[in-house]
Amino acid sequence: MAYFKNISAIQYEGAQSENPFAFKYYNPKEKIGNQTMEEILRYGIAYWHTFTGDGGDPFGAGTAKRPWDHLTGMDQAKARVDAAFEFFEKMNAPFFCFHDIDVAPEGSTLRESNKNLDEIVAMIKDYMKTSNTKLLWNTANMFTHPRFTHGAGTSSHADVYAYAAAKVKKGLEVGKELGAENYVFWGGREGYETLLNTDMKLELDNLAKFYHMGLDYAKEIGFDAQFLIEPKPKEPTTHQYDFDVATATSFLYQYGLQDHFKFNIEANHATLAGHTFEHELRTARESGMLGSVDANQGDLLLGWDTDEFPTDLYATTLAMYEILKNGGLGRGGLNFDAKVRRGSFEADDLFHAHVAGMDAFAVGLRVAQKMIDDQFFEKIAADRYSTFKSGIGEKIVSGKTNFKELESHALDLGEIDVKSGQLEKIKARINQYLLNV
Ligand code: XLS
Ligand code: CA
Ligand code: CA
């Protein structure tokens, strides 16, 4: 049965097209640099928002009208898999991502949940034999059920910790079964509301052990996926342990995990942390830990995790610049961890949203590649930091000076000719690039 009967495969029609069911900028086979757009962009569809989510928010019920709404339980879960693979094909999506409970309903015990999961995973595996869509990553949901109120790997109850470990163990097995490229740990409720009842040291030590055991088990079963941590500063807890890339990097180093993890960076989480998306990407890139991206955007007026589809071309351009400078995303990809707005409740909106997001990142890619070809930012930086190329600056950079020498350099300098940062000139040039896509 077809769930999206009236919609045929989305094709590239070019920037002049007025067809809402066509790509205007995303041309999968087009070469940008020496790779095709689809090779660089590695788009992923987030199962939870697109097939499981119902459009509900904390103030109101779900609004989404989906062709699987009439079903329940395992029947509905199976219908969603059918619909998902139809959608992947029509969107020409190279990847998808899921949490365990997005795809299969939970039973009353973990054993029952695993049984449901096995049945759905077998079905997914079957589809994947003929589908072009691969699994970018899977993960375990360890935040929705009430047992995870106080966290999972940082829970105050050892049984919850064990339960969480068992879910990740299963997740790793499922990832292996489906050939996942990555395995994601988003901290969920790994954080705290208040220190008044929290043993922070114990929680962090336990969390590190949790990750080490996860790595050990993946190795034991021969699952060679890239492990990713997804930082987020708040929501659901007040203080999330993986606040941002810098905080999580220090955690990884402190516990000897730095060589085994990279980051999955989500745009909306960056802005919740008071950073730009590109700041988080740059921070990870500079330490060789940029692994994958959750491509969405937040609403700066609302200030919570709205998970909107990315349409801000300025942001996608600066993000693609970081990704290209990283030499691509390797085994990672651009996963649309994004949901249609509550008011966009028709099934067609799922297509419009992905077209918008895919086109927005395609524009970002085109513009960023052009800027790199022109050495746009590189020239700005080379000029701005030119005093570090010779003389005392060169000595600073190569670590061949000391405070005494710096003092003797400085004592008789007189007025220093500090140059303008020329930010407005730079932004005007970026606008020119954007308008000439
Ligand atoms: C929630 C997170 C979550 C992770 C996967 O804010 O974005 O969806 O990506 O658990
Ligand atoms: Ca995410
Ligand atoms: Ca989010």
Side-chain angles (χ1 to χ4, degrees):
M1 171 186 166
Y3 287 88
F4 309 105
K5 279 196 280 301
N6 303 327
I7 296 162
S8 38
I10 309 292
Q11 308 284 350
Y12 170 71
E13 291 185 3
Q16 303 313 316
S17 168
E18 290 182 12
N19 175 6
F21 295 99
F23 297 121
K24 321 298 181 302
Y25 301 95
Y26 178 54
N27 186 11
K29 301 288 178 212
E30 183 182 326
K31 280 252 171 109
I32 301 283
N34 43 25
Q35 277 184 301
T36 62
M37 279 196 157
E38 79 186 332
E39 283 165 348
I40 302 168
L41 292 165
R42 296 169 64 82
Y43 288 136
I45 311 274
Y47 205 99
W48 53 103
H49 287 311
T50 292
F51 307 108
T52 319
D54 65 3
D57 72 14
F59 303 97
T63 52
K65 291 182 187 163
R66 300 288 179 254
W68 48 85
D69 283 344
H70 59 290
L71 299 166
T72 56
M74 283 297 275
D75 291 337
Q76 187 178 55
K78 288 175 187 171
R80 282 188 178 126
V81 175
D82 290 328
F85 277 88
E86 183 189 338
F87 187 82
F88 300 157
E89 194 179 329
K90 291 187 167 166
M91 284 310 308
N92 188 14
F95 292 103
F96 72 113
C97 302
F98 67 85
H99 302 80
D100 45 8
I101 68 166
D102 305 334
V103 294
E106 287 185 281
S108 53
T109 61
L110 183 58
R111 198 180 295 282
E112 269 177 46
S113 302
N114 285 350
K115 191 169 160 282
N116 291 347
L117 186 59
D118 284 339
E119 205 175 324
I120 298 295
V121 166
M123 190 177 166
I124 292 176
K125 194 176 179 188
D126 220 42
Y127 264 109
M128 288 177 76
K129 282 182 194 149
T130 50
S131 165
N132 292 326
T133 307
K134 301 200 195 72
L135 184 56
L136 186 64
W137 51 262
N138 64 311
T139 185
N141 178 317
M142 305 191 288
F143 43 90
T144 300
H145 193 280
R147 79 175 70 82
F148 296 120
T149 301
H150 304 304
T154 60
S155 174
S156 45
H157 200 302
D159 287 350
V160 175
Y161 186 99
Y163 199 107
K167 266 169 83 80
V168 172
K169 175 178 176 288
K170 185 73 183 168
L172 296 170
E173 291 161 6
V174 165
K176 181 178 183 210
E177 182 78 6
L178 298 178
E181 297 275 355
N182 307 273
Y183 189 86
V184 162
F185 290 92
W186 168 54
R189 294 179 193 275
E190 313 295 23
Y192 60 84
E193 269 175 82
T194 167
L195 281 176
L196 301 178
N197 60 11
T198 300
D199 184 339
M200 191 162 101
K201 175 83 167 67
L202 177 72
E203 291 196 1
L204 285 168
D205 286 352
N206 283 352
L207 183 61
K209 291 190 178 90
F210 194 94
Y211 289 146
H212 275 290
M213 287 189 275
L215 285 165
D216 289 346
Y217 188 67
K219 200 166 168 199
E220 191 181 323
I221 63 171
F223 178 40
D224 74 341
Q226 169 68 57
F227 273 38
L228 300 171
I229 287 202
E230 184 180 324
K232 184 174 181 181
K234 51 194 169 191
E235 294 187 28
T237 72
T238 315
H239 186 105
Q240 297 273 125
Y241 287 131
D242 298 328
F243 183 92
D244 63 359
V245 170
T247 310
T249 301
S250 121
F251 169 87
L252 292 172
Y253 271 88
Q254 189 181 345
Y255 289 100
L257 291 158
Q258 71 276 10
D259 296 333
H260 307 285
F261 281 86
K262 287 189 175 178
F263 290 106
N264 181 39
I265 294 172
E266 180 176 318
N268 203 164
H269 297 182
T271 50
L272 282 175
H275 300 309
T276 58
F277 185 19
E278 61 272 21
H279 167 90
E280 287 294 82
L281 294 167
R282 177 77 60 95
T283 308
R285 167 165 84 79
E286 297 291 13
S287 54
M289 290 168 124
L290 173 52
S292 200
V293 170
D294 270 5
N296 64 10
Q297 69 188 26
D299 186 328
L300 299 180
L301 299 179
L302 290 176
W304 70 80
D305 193 15
T306 55
D307 288 339
E308 295 173 28
F309 273 84
T311 50
D312 176 347
L313 303 180
Y314 217 95
T316 59
T317 297
L318 296 183
M320 284 316 301
Y321 173 79
E322 296 302 328
I323 292 168
L324 290 173
K325 293 294 276 187
N326 193 57
L329 289 170
R331 302 183 74 181
L334 289 168
N335 168 48
F336 291 108
D337 188 351
K339 59 182 172 213
V340 287
R341 298 303 83 195
R342 187 166 184 265
S344 307
F345 44 75
E346 307 280 359
D348 284 6
D349 292 309
L350 297 173
F351 286 88
H352 299 319
H354 284 88
V355 166
M358 288 159 101
D359 270 342
F361 267 90
V363 170
L365 168 59
R366 285 173 195 263
V367 178
Q369 180 65 50
K370 180 90 182 54
M371 285 175 157
I372 289 173
D373 292 344
D374 294 350
Q375 296 283 288
F376 177 70
F377 290 116
E378 292 73 9
K379 282 183 190 158
I380 291 169
D383 186 44
R384 190 156 185 245
Y385 298 93
S386 60
T387 57
F388 287 96
K389 287 286 176 220
S390 60
I392 196 69
E394 190 184 6
K395 283 187 166 180
I396 293 169
V397 171
S398 54
K400 287 191 185 121
T401 188
N402 54 46
F403 264 22
K404 275 194 252 164
E405 189 184 16
L406 290 167
E407 183 196 47
S408 65
H409 181 87
L411 279 175
D412 301 309
L413 270 180
E415 206 55 51
I416 301 172
D417 180 24
V418 178
K419 296 266 190 321
S420 164
Q422 301 188 322
L423 186 55
E424 296 77 7
K425 177 179 149 194
I426 296 169
K427 287 191 169 181
R429 280 291 291 144
I430 297 175
N431 282 350
Q432 266 184 298
Y433 273 103
L434 274 162
L435 291 167
N436 289 313
V437 192

